[in-house]
Amino acid sequence: MKYLDVRLRQPDRMLHPMQRFIREGDAVRYEELRAWNILGPEGDREYELFYAEADREVYVEAIEAVDSVRWYDLTPIDDDSFYVYICQETREEDVRWRESFAALDLVIVPPVIYDSEAAFYMTIVGAGDDLQAMLEGLPDEIDVTVRAIGEYDRRHAPLTGDLTDRQLEAVEAAVAVGYYEVPREAGVESVAERLGCASSTAATLLQKAQARVMRRLVRRYGREGTSGERDAPIG
């Protein structure tokens, strides 16, 4: 079973109004699509659950101006974050790019994460041939960046997000040598020896991995609002 991590950036004319709202403004700090269903006799209606960190009043004004939205239900989490459950009509612009998935045996692994340009990051699972066919079938005007591809193994994904394989390897090495024990049983030199790299390289790998994991924990579970990096997705 193969997986593909990909970033898709649509041109302005293909954007959903809420994606355009993200791209053209700064009210949304972070957003992800948690779950969705496409229903109706012709697949013309869809239900979607989003998690967002944004200016709630501005977000509500934007969503109420979208013609395709039939109704929505917004549930606040705190002052800076909320869930929004949406029922909307499926747009022709979305049908076109989704056709690249339609006849293939592929599964999208949620969440789908949006960055500040309203590009979205997806993990897709299936056979290698189907993943390649999907990439080839996407409209030419969609900018595609393949971030990773390989055998699917996301046992650590709920916390590690989009750590690189080398960053995760460094964390695993640090755990193995006792770097995270209290009191610490080994230093970064032992991690570097296990990785076969310089101590400075090991230290950088650990710092980047720890930063990504901590940002993810605070954004998802912290009780205080944080800003963080808007352009870097937390997978």
Side-chain angles (χ1 to χ4, degrees):
M1 184 191 334
K2 299 288 186 181
Y3 82 95
L4 172 70
D5 280 348
V6 66
R7 178 184 187 265
L8 304 178
R9 187 184 189 280
Q10 297 168 295
D12 289 346
R13 65 180 185 79
M14 290 181 66
L15 291 179
H16 185 281
M18 291 304 291
Q19 288 176 283
R20 186 173 295 108
F21 168 66
I22 293 173
R23 182 174 293 180
E24 295 177 354
D26 58 5
V28 179
R29 295 178 293 280
Y30 178 83
E31 185 170 64
E32 65 182 29
L33 175 59
R34 291 283 184 89
W36 60 92
N37 278 317
I38 299 175
L39 301 172
E42 302 295 333
D44 56 357
R45 185 171 69 251
E46 50 195 74
Y47 298 84
E48 296 155 335
L49 176 64
F50 289 90
Y51 165 78
E53 296 173 5
D55 183 319
R56 192 187 310 159
E57 291 185 3
V58 178
Y59 190 99
V60 167
E61 290 177 4
I63 201 170
E64 289 186 346
V66 178
D67 292 337
S68 62
V69 173
R70 294 186 177 184
W71 53 261
Y72 71 93
D73 183 12
L74 189 148
T75 300
I77 301 172
D78 53 33
D79 291 342
D80 301 300
S81 60
F82 50 87
Y83 294 106
V84 58
Y85 180 43
I86 298 172
C87 173
Q88 67 174 330
E89 300 168 5
T90 299
R91 305 180 317 134
E92 292 184 8
E93 297 91 334
D94 294 326
V95 170
R96 184 183 174 199
W97 75 264
R98 288 173 182 170
E99 287 177 347
S100 62
F101 297 85
L104 303 172
D105 297 325
L106 297 173
V107 173
I108 299 173
V109 181
V112 175
I113 298 172
Y114 296 84
D115 67 15
S116 61
E117 295 184 351
F120 48 101
Y121 296 74
M122 307 169 67
T123 296
I124 308 159
V125 171
D129 290 345
D130 283 339
L131 292 172
Q132 184 63 41
M134 183 273 295
L135 290 173
E136 294 173 355
L138 286 168
D140 291 339
E141 57 264 48
I142 293 181
D143 181 67
V144 180
T145 302
V146 175
R147 305 174 68 235
I149 188 168
E151 291 294 328
Y152 185 73
D153 182 358
R154 287 300 178 89
R155 290 168 292 177
H156 311 288
L159 282 180
T160 62
D162 62 339
L163 293 190
T164 66
D165 290 343
R166 191 61 168 163
Q167 288 167 357
L168 183 55
E169 185 181 355
V171 172
E172 290 172 336
V175 170
V177 301
Y179 180 83
Y180 291 116
E181 294 297 324
V182 181
R184 183 167 288 172
E185 297 176 355
V188 71
E189 296 81 7
S190 297
V191 178
E193 182 178 354
R194 194 175 183 93
L195 292 173
C197 66
S199 294
S200 59
T201 300
T204 299
L205 289 169
L206 290 174
Q207 288 169 3
K208 289 184 176 180
Q210 290 160 189
R212 288 177 184 241
V213 171
M214 292 303 104
R215 281 198 298 266
R216 181 180 176 86
L217 284 173
V218 171
R219 279 183 170 178
R220 283 182 175 254
Y221 307 114
R223 303 314 305 166
E224 300 295 331
T226 58
S227 55
E229 299 176 4
R230 293 183 64 241
D231 292 334
I234 303 178

